[in-house]
Amino acid sequence: MRKYFDILKTTRLFSDIESGELETMLKCLGAEIKAVDRDEILLLAGDKPRHIGILLTGRLNILWEDYDGNRSLMAAVTSGGIFAEALCCAGVTESPVTVLAEAYSTVMLLGFSRILHTCPSSCSYHIKLIENMLSILADKNLRMQSRMEIVGLKSLRAKVLRYLKSFGYERGQNIVIPFNREELADFLCVDRSALSHELARMKKDGLIDYKKNNFVIF
């Protein structure tokens, strides 16, 4: 488990927690390492979330599926990212989303109740862990609000610009998004061809430049 410490220390959940404390904490939390293959499901919509997860290697997609079986990409989880924490905190009995491995991945699973409740000794680092979790949940809520605002915009151009600026906009700054074209279209709830055409027009108009998933706003 120590080989993943460098990744874990970049995770907001363990912010300001020293390596020595981290090792003790993981034992206290009953941390479990799990490897998953591409297209393997970590959490299926309708199932009860029992753990929060930290992605150590690979990539995961958070998907929402409608009654006709059409899937929409809600978010992508990259190395160091956390998933299912909001579901566990809300105490939902049936997950509204599916967590699917986009590639071969390694995850760490933690029992949420062990995070929420301090151990008998009330260790200072456990209190910090709870503070970090509250910060993560607040940030997740803001991100969901931002996505609702983006999807609600009328023009495709406005959606693209609003999404790119959500990464922290500075003129000429390189922005790396976690989606390919198909995934970005899915995230914005637009047609892929329409998105590609609009990106080309925006580039021609001097608003943006891009190569694959690297973007610059002018």
Side-chain angles (χ1 to χ4, degrees):
M1 196 170 291
R2 273 183 164 274
K3 67 179 181 179
Y4 297 116
F5 273 21
D6 287 343
I7 297 173
L8 292 173
K9 285 190 289 186
T10 67
T11 301
R12 288 181 60 184
L13 183 61
F14 300 122
S15 177
D16 297 325
I17 295 175
E18 299 297 329
S19 296
E21 296 177 334
L22 180 58
E23 186 171 10
T24 303
M25 177 181 291
L26 292 176
K27 293 179 181 178
C28 177
L29 297 175
E32 174 189 350
I33 303 294
K34 181 176 181 179
V36 292
D37 291 324
R38 176 183 172 87
D39 293 330
E40 185 173 342
I41 293 174
L42 276 161
L43 176 64
L44 182 65
D47 288 351
K48 182 177 180 178
R50 300 184 182 279
H51 301 86
I52 74 164
I54 301 173
L55 182 62
L56 302 174
T57 63
R59 174 186 161 114
L60 306 175
N61 285 340
I62 311 296
L63 306 169
W64 179 81
E65 189 172 314
D66 65 20
Y67 290 108
D68 295 324
N70 300 308
R71 285 180 169 178
S72 295
L73 179 63
M74 302 298 293
V77 183
T78 54
S79 180
I82 301 175
F83 60 94
E85 74 286 358
L87 300 176
C88 288
C89 184
V92 299
T93 56
E94 295 184 1
S95 173
V97 297
T98 292
V99 181
L100 181 74
E102 173 70 13
Y104 177 83
S105 305
T106 308
V107 300
M108 175 178 286
L109 301 177
L110 305 170
F112 185 76
S113 61
R114 293 194 179 189
I115 295 175
L116 198 61
H117 303 100
T118 59
C119 54
S121 57
S122 296
C123 306
S124 60
Y125 59 75
H126 205 141
I127 295 173
K128 181 60 181 175
L129 183 74
I130 295 173
E131 292 176 355
N132 290 343
M133 177 56 70
L134 290 174
S135 176
I136 291 168
L137 291 170
D139 182 67
K140 180 67 68 72
N141 183 52
L142 292 174
R143 288 180 181 273
M144 289 302 296
Q145 289 182 357
S146 176
R147 183 172 188 266
M148 291 174 64
E149 292 173 2
I150 292 169
V151 173
L153 293 171
K154 292 184 178 180
S155 76
L156 179 49
R157 179 167 297 197
K159 290 183 180 184
V160 171
L161 287 174
R162 177 67 179 82
Y163 172 70
L164 293 177
K165 289 180 179 180
S166 71
F167 287 86
Y169 166 62
E170 288 185 18
R171 190 178 299 275
Q173 175 187 1
N174 184 59
I175 300 168
V176 182
I177 69 172
F179 303 132
N180 59 32
R181 292 294 178 272
E182 183 176 357
E183 292 167 339
L184 179 58
D186 200 6
F187 181 82
L188 297 176
C189 297
V190 299
D191 179 75
R192 178 182 177 179
S193 296
L195 174 63
S196 296
H197 291 153
E198 184 59 36
L199 289 176
R201 285 193 291 266
M202 292 173 71
K203 184 174 183 178
K204 183 178 180 180
D205 292 343
L207 293 174
I208 63 171
D209 193 11
Y210 59 87
K211 183 177 182 180
K212 295 185 177 180
N213 64 334
N214 288 268
F215 286 79
V216 176
I217 305 176
F218 297 115

